[in-house]
Amino acid sequence: MRIDLLRHGDAVREALDGDARRALSEEGVRSIRALAAQLRGLGPPPARAFSSPYLRARQTAELVLAGWGTADATALELLTELEPDADPVHAMRTVSGMAQDATHVLVVAHQPLLGRILVRLTGVERGLAPGTLARIEWSPGAGGGASLERVLPPE
């Protein structure tokens, strides 16, 4: 299974109704659109797409899917398991259970969760700046290994 872990793009610093409602900044929108253009050249779009329900993560996922040309073909699935301080083991069990027949999934979420997932799957300790994508090849079965294939930082 190919997993694209994507940290949401740069977001505004505050929202009147709380952190979950923080939107992407203008710079965040621009950099995510540029990333989507890069992704089009790296193979077919994901079969499944999962996002944190936080506004900035949803906006990021929607922009990437639209740029990949899959906004209608891939329904975005919102998971509370992808909120910032969620348990990485539970998050990946949920994603792998829901996408067990998919060969490529997109997961859009936050730090520190994405960094914890990355280290659990690959052993690589790396934080992800806003708008950074980490592509992983993973065998989710018992004893399945994973490798970090590429990292695409924001422009």
Side-chain angles (χ1 to χ4, degrees), residues 78-151:
L78 304 180
L79 300 175
T80 58
E81 291 87 349
L82 296 176
E83 290 179 357
D85 293 314
D87 177 346
V89 173
H90 183 61
M92 287 314 298
R93 279 189 188 139
T94 301
V95 168
S96 65
M98 293 177 72
Q100 58 189 333
D101 294 329
T103 58
H104 184 189
V105 299
L106 172 68
V107 175
V108 182
H110 315 265
Q111 284 293 94
L113 176 63
L114 290 176
R116 291 176 181 156
I117 290 172
L118 186 61
V119 77
R120 287 196 66 85
L121 291 179
T122 68
V124 174
E125 288 195 42
R126 180 187 178 121
L128 299 176
T132 300
L133 180 132
R135 179 164 280 182
I136 297 170
E137 294 293 334
W138 180 41
S139 300
S147 61
L148 179 60
E149 297 296 316
R150 102 177 28 228
V151 175

Side-chain angles (χ1 to χ4, degrees), residues 13-89:
R13 301 292 166 229
E14 294 180 6
L16 293 176
D17 44 356
D19 185 52
R21 297 294 305 155
R22 287 178 41 220
L24 290 178
S25 67
E26 288 180 25
E27 172 60 25
V29 170
R30 187 201 64 73
S31 69
I32 294 301
R33 284 185 175 144
L35 175 67
Q38 282 184 280
L39 291 172
R40 278 193 304 270
L42 295 178
R48 302 284 296 268
F50 303 97
S51 174
S52 158
Y54 283 33
L55 179 59
R56 59 193 178 273
R58 282 195 336 258
Q59 289 174 320
T60 297
E62 290 166 356
L63 285 169
V64 166
L65 292 172
W68 228 323
T70 62
D72 293 331
T74 302
L76 181 60
E77 300 174 69
L78 304 180
L79 300 175
T80 58
E81 291 87 349
L82 296 176
E83 290 179 357
D85 293 314
D87 177 346
V89 173

